[in-house]
Amino acid sequence: MFRNFKLVPNILFGRGCFAQLDEIVAGRRKSGGDWAVFVVDDVFKGKDLEKRVPLHDNDFLLWVNVADEPKTDYVDKLTLEAKHFNPALPCAIIGIGGGSAMDLAKSVSLMLTNEGSSTQYQGWDLIKNPAVWHAAVPTLSGTGAEVSRTAVLTGPEKKLGLNSDYTVFDQVVLDPELTAGVPKDQHFYTGMDCYIHCIESLQGTYINEFSKAYGEKSLDLCRQVFVDNHPDSADKLMMASFFGGMSIAYSQVGACHALSYGLSYVLGTHHGVGCCITFDTLDEYYPDGVKEFRTIMEKTGVDIPRGLAKDLTEDQMETMIRVALNLDPLWENCLGKDWKSIMTRDKARSLFEKI
Amino acid sequence: MFRNFKLVPNILFGRGCFAQLDEIVAGRRKSGGDWAVFVVDDVFKGKDLEKRVPLHDNDFLLWVNVADEPKTDYVDKLTLEAKHFNPALPCAIIGIGGGSAMDLAKSVSLMLTNEGSSTQYQGWDLIKNPAVWHAAVPTLSGTGAEVSRTAVLTGPEKKLGLNSDYTVFDQVVLDPELTAGVPKDQHFYTGMDCYIHCIESLQGTYINEFSKAYGEKSLDLCRQVFVDNHPDSADKLMMASFFGGMSIAYSQVGACHALSYGLSYVLGTHHGVGCCITFDTLDEYYPDGVKEFRTIMEKTGVDIPRGLAKDLTEDQMETMIRVALNLDPLWENCLGKDWKSIMTRDKARSLFEKI
């Protein structure tokens, strides 16, 4: 039984193509009362991009703060704000920002049409109704959130995404010019998120030729960006991110992402840097990948936070292990059906002790 | 101004996944009266695949013959047959076969909702109404028809596709097992169609990083199949075909395809072998590609028909040139905006004289 993979059905790619966003959203405005929500990362407040958001009279500019990883209660609050702004359903929701802003846009578009709290839908295929039409404009490359079928959220019990076919964006606008201002460390961490999920996909037990073709090309593009310093790096990393997302969408991530979810849940560590921290402990499972990752890290001159384990309480360590081991498909992809006998609580603890 | 590229929104990939076709079509059957059309290449008559077509009571099995390249009057006839079978619109049309069968399925799905003859819609974005929901099950890899926004047809005036966003399939079922029985020469010709359109895309003036990522990986997979004789060749060529189609969908093919359209129009030469014949004359434009193509041809032991030019009448030669030079976007992609001063009628003639 193979999964019928839902793809983003419309893609616009090109330097400067952000200028066409207004025209695309116009296609959704069927009547005079139709309104759109622009979910925008608040780092762009007062920046040039703010002026370029194609806001119409009835539209709602919903600034989002992603200093913390997206949380379920934040999603519920944003959804309520949109409902208060206008009780009618919007015709479009457009997420502009990095992985967190895109995941918030996905989440709000789902929660406007699905009752209750977003915590109820953390898991696989729990969403009941189609989302409001939603589009992504990534301003950061590597997350793969622009093509994935998940919106990763931290809830009171767990860090786990809203995984469903309805989560997938209806439109993606890929404009490499928008990634120009990304700080060096974030560029590295998020680029490595892409590199790492390709390694996890390619070495996973779920791999097929579809995921392999995407994963291999994504790695190739990552290397052109981080090893060769190619002059078209912004374009290439945007495509690496897209291909990386396509690769894991049909297969799955693995041990590094599972551990990083535990880490982020307990310490609030951001996803990209969290993946770098946990990947650095995984020589045993991804020897070549970890080796190349360290070479790139050295070349880039960015380092990762170290020595986190020594300040963890026993409770924190236990929670990290619980959250990480809760992600069955990730472990099964990495270690096979028998993963529970390999990745024991003690083994997971020994890995977290290295961070 | 960049094109908002319409992708196939649902993809199923995997060995044996053809068994899931019934379930997928079931999702389209909303009421008891809903019926589907299976457009199937008649080479499968009496073969195992015929028994596996998931035909329900009210469904129509429309055998198609692709001994000739698809023609507009054939499309009009098939559309009429479907209307006679049941005047209500079908809920689904499923094309099972190679590029020609898939293009016929696309064409019928478009012509059931667009009035008049298919000749009226040969060109770019002339289709007015959305098609009937349509799916592809390729049994031959390389054409890219499973992802392209065109259905290539030969009409009374020209060989030119129904190019539109509505042409794109709603679902593709990629089962590498279905390509097992393809004859050696067809395997080579159709694989080279993929190889050639990637070369044309990558060396074209329309190229961007999106098309490049897809085109490069497709070429890589073609080489694994035809140069390295990789054991997973069926899976790899199916992905090469998909990626090749994605590459040209955002950019364009070039000189070889333009010439091959002229050749096919006049002599009825099938698309794959036609591309091989015209590509072999294009050292001047694609030197490395033509060289590698000849190496692969030698390795495969398949040859192409030669000496076709000597039997052409002057009228036939004139028609070939006219049809080929009618394809502006292909020439502009190959030679730039100024292509008319480079690819003169005399120059085109000199190329056709080499076939």
Side-chain angles (χ1 to χ4, degrees):
Chain A
M1 186 72 183
F2 302 91
R3 183 143 54 81
N4 194 9
F5 173 30
K6 174 81 172 62
L7 277 78
V8 174
N10 283 288
I11 298 205
L12 184 63
F13 178 92
R15 293 195 154 258
C17 74
F18 181 69
Q20 289 170 238
L21 180 61
D22 190 31
E23 189 193 322
I24 287 170
V25 180
R28 307 302 309 169
R29 301 182 196 271
K30 312 282 182 194
S31 79
D34 279 346
W35 63 292
V37 184
F38 292 86
V39 177
V40 188
D41 186 332
D42 66 8
V43 298
F44 293 112
K45 250 186 197 171
K47 300 275 165 61
D48 180 51
L49 190 68
E50 177 177 355
K51 294 180 218 111
R52 296 182 63 206
V53 173
L55 209 68
H56 286 226
D57 277 351
N58 299 324
D59 292 351
F60 184 30
L61 178 52
L62 181 58
W63 290 111
V64 291
N65 185 279
V66 297
D68 291 330
E69 294 264 281
K71 296 201 167 43
T72 49
D73 56 4
Y74 190 43
V75 165
D76 295 348
K77 181 177 157 284
L78 295 172
T79 307
L80 216 57
E81 280 182 46
K83 283 180 178 172
H84 281 165
F85 182 84
N86 187 335
L89 277 185
C91 68
I93 294 187
I94 304 98
I96 304 177
S100 296
M102 287 188 274
D103 278 359
L104 286 170
K106 286 173 175 174
S107 302
V108 172
S109 74
L110 288 163
M111 295 315 300
L112 280 171
T113 56
N114 286 275
E115 284 193 358
S117 163
S118 52
T119 54
Q120 297 167 236
Y121 303 100
Q122 285 183 282
W124 281 273
D125 302 306
L126 302 174
I127 296 282
K128 289 182 179 65
N129 303 312
V132 173
W133 184 93
H134 52 303
V137 184
T139 61
L140 180 63
S141 293
T143 69
E146 63 275 27
V147 287
S148 76
R149 74 189 294 277
T150 188
V152 185
L153 299 179
T154 303
E157 295 291 324
K158 54 201 169 193
K159 180 177 176 185
L160 185 57
L162 312 180
N163 293 273
S164 85
D165 280 356
Y166 297 132
T167 311
V168 177
F169 283 111
D170 297 291
Q171 169 79 55
V172 169
V173 175
L174 298 175
D175 181 349
E177 285 182 357
L178 301 181
T179 64
V182 175
K184 186 182 166 191
D185 55 348
Q186 194 166 18
H187 179 256
F188 169 74
Y189 296 143
T190 315
M192 286 303 102
D193 178 13
C194 177
Y195 175 88
I196 292 166
H197 59 236
C198 288
I199 296 284
E200 290 176 300
S201 167
L202 289 169
Q203 288 190 219
T205 58
Y206 292 179
I207 193 73
N208 64 10
E209 198 57 51
F210 186 97
S211 287
K212 201 170 171 181
Y214 276 108
E216 286 176 349
K217 188 62 195 177
S218 179
L219 275 189
D220 171 30
L221 290 164
C222 285
R223 288 178 185 126
Q224 290 183 46
V225 172
F226 288 101
V227 180
D228 308 338
N229 286 326
H230 197 284
D232 296 334
S233 279
D235 300 62
K236 286 186 183 290
L237 196 58
M238 196 156 255
M239 285 312 299
S241 180
F242 179 72
F243 271 43
M246 291 292 281
S247 180
I248 48 170
Y250 218 136
S251 62
Q252 189 45 277
V253 286
C256 170
H257 273 70
L259 294 178
S260 85
Y261 275 34
L263 171 66
S264 294
Y265 183 82
V266 173
L267 297 184
T269 314
H270 275 232
H271 182 69
V273 62
C275 283
C276 291
I277 293 168
T278 54
F279 195 57
D280 198 47
T281 70
L282 291 168
D283 310 64
E284 193 177 338
Y285 303 97
Y286 307 110
D288 297 340
V290 173
K291 195 175 159 194
E292 188 171 36
F293 161 76
R294 288 183 189 140
T295 308
I296 292 172
M297 181 154 58
E298 197 173 337
K299 193 179 158 73
T300 319
V302 176
D303 202 2
I304 50 172
R306 294 174 190 278
L308 302 176
K310 68 176 190 308
D311 296 325
L312 290 177
T313 65
E314 181 51 30
D315 262 12
Q316 285 180 313
M317 177 59 95
E318 279 296 320
T319 307
M320 265 190 198
I321 296 168
R322 177 178 62 78
V323 172
L325 293 185
N326 202 27
L327 295 154
D328 295 46
L330 283 64
W331 291 110
E332 184 178 310
N333 183 41
C334 178
L335 302 168
K337 290 211 179 295
D338 208 25
W339 69 267
K340 285 185 184 173
S341 66
I342 304 166
M343 190 47 60
T344 58
R345 298 181 58 81
D346 283 351
K347 184 69 201 176
R349 175 183 295 268
S350 75
L351 293 170
F352 277 129
E353 279 168 353
K354 291 187 193 170
I355 65 173
Chain B
M1 187 70 184
F2 302 91
R3 183 144 54 79
N4 194 8
F5 173 30
K6 175 81 171 62
L7 277 78
V8 174
N10 283 289
I11 298 203
L12 184 64
F13 178 91
R15 292 193 154 260
C17 74
F18 181 69
Q20 291 171 235
L21 180 61
D22 189 32
E23 189 193 321
I24 288 170
V25 180
R28 308 302 309 168
R29 301 183 196 270
K30 313 281 183 196
S31 80
D34 278 345
W35 63 292
V37 184
F38 292 86
V39 177
V40 188
D41 187 332
D42 67 7
V43 297
F44 294 112
K45 249 186 197 171
K47 300 277 165 60
D48 180 51
L49 189 69
E50 178 178 355
K51 293 181 221 113
R52 297 183 62 206
V53 174
L55 210 67
H56 286 226
D57 277 351
N58 299 324
D59 292 350
F60 185 30
L61 177 53
L62 182 58
W63 290 111
V64 292
N65 185 280
V66 296
D68 292 331
E69 294 264 281
K71 296 200 168 44
T72 50
D73 55 4
Y74 190 43
V75 166
D76 295 348
K77 182 177 155 285
L78 294 172
T79 307
L80 215 57
E81 280 182 46
K83 283 180 178 171
H84 281 165
F85 182 85
N86 187 336
L89 277 185
C91 68
I93 293 187
I94 303 98
I96 304 176
S100 295
M102 286 189 274
D103 278 359
L104 286 169
K106 285 174 176 173
S107 302
V108 172
S109 74
L110 288 164
M111 295 315 300
L112 281 172
T113 56
N114 287 274
E115 285 194 357
S117 164
S118 52
T119 55
Q120 298 168 235
Y121 302 101
Q122 285 184 283
W124 282 273
D125 302 306
L126 302 174
I127 295 282
K128 289 182 180 65
N129 303 312
V132 173
W133 184 95
H134 51 304
V137 184
T139 60
L140 179 64
S141 293
T143 69
E146 62 277 26
V147 287
S148 76
R149 74 190 293 278
T150 189
V152 185
L153 300 178
T154 303
E157 295 289 325
K158 54 200 169 193
K159 180 177 175 186
L160 186 57
L162 312 180
N163 293 272
S164 86
D165 280 355
Y166 297 131
T167 311
V168 177
F169 283 112
D170 296 291
Q171 170 79 54
V172 170
V173 175
L174 299 176
D175 182 348
E177 285 182 357
L178 300 181
T179 65
V182 175
K184 186 181 165 190
D185 55 348
Q186 195 167 19
H187 179 255
F188 168 75
Y189 297 143
T190 314
M192 287 301 102
D193 178 13
C194 177
Y195 175 88
I196 292 165
H197 58 234
C198 287
I199 296 282
E200 290 176 300
S201 167
L202 289 170
Q203 288 191 219
T205 58
Y206 292 179
I207 193 73
N208 64 10
E209 197 57 50
F210 186 98
S211 287
K212 201 170 171 183
Y214 276 108
E216 286 175 348
K217 188 63 196 176
S218 178
L219 275 189
D220 170 31
L221 290 164
C222 284
R223 287 178 185 126
Q224 291 183 45
V225 172
F226 289 101
V227 181
D228 308 338
N229 287 325
H230 196 284
D232 296 334
S233 279
D235 299 62
K236 286 186 183 291
L237 196 58
M238 195 154 255
M239 284 311 299
S241 180
F242 179 72
F243 272 42
M246 291 291 282
S247 180
I248 48 171
Y250 217 136
S251 62
Q252 189 45 277
V253 286
C256 170
H257 273 71
L259 295 178
S260 84
Y261 276 33
L263 170 65
S264 293
Y265 183 82
V266 172
L267 297 184
T269 314
H270 275 232
H271 182 70
V273 62
C275 283
C276 291
I277 294 168
T278 55
F279 195 57
D280 198 47
T281 70
L282 290 169
D283 310 63
E284 194 178 337
Y285 304 97
Y286 307 110
D288 297 339
V290 173
K291 195 174 158 197
E292 187 171 36
F293 161 78
R294 288 183 188 140
T295 307
I296 292 171
M297 183 156 55
E298 197 173 336
K299 192 178 159 72
T300 318
V302 177
D303 203 3
I304 50 173
R306 295 173 190 279
L308 303 175
K310 68 177 191 309
D311 296 325
L312 290 177
T313 66
E314 181 51 28
D315 262 11
Q316 286 181 312
M317 177 59 96
E318 280 296 320
T319 306
M320 263 190 201
I321 296 170
R322 177 179 62 77
V323 172
L325 293 184
N326 202 28
L327 295 154
D328 295 46
L330 282 63
W331 291 109
E332 185 178 309
N333 182 42
C334 178
L335 301 168
K337 291 212 177 295
D338 208 25
W339 69 267
K340 285 184 184 173
S341 66
I342 304 165
M343 190 47 58
T344 59
R345 297 182 58 80
D346 284 351
K347 184 69 202 177
R349 174 182 296 266
S350 75
L351 293 170
F352 277 127
E353 279 167 353
K354 293 187 194 170
I355 65 172

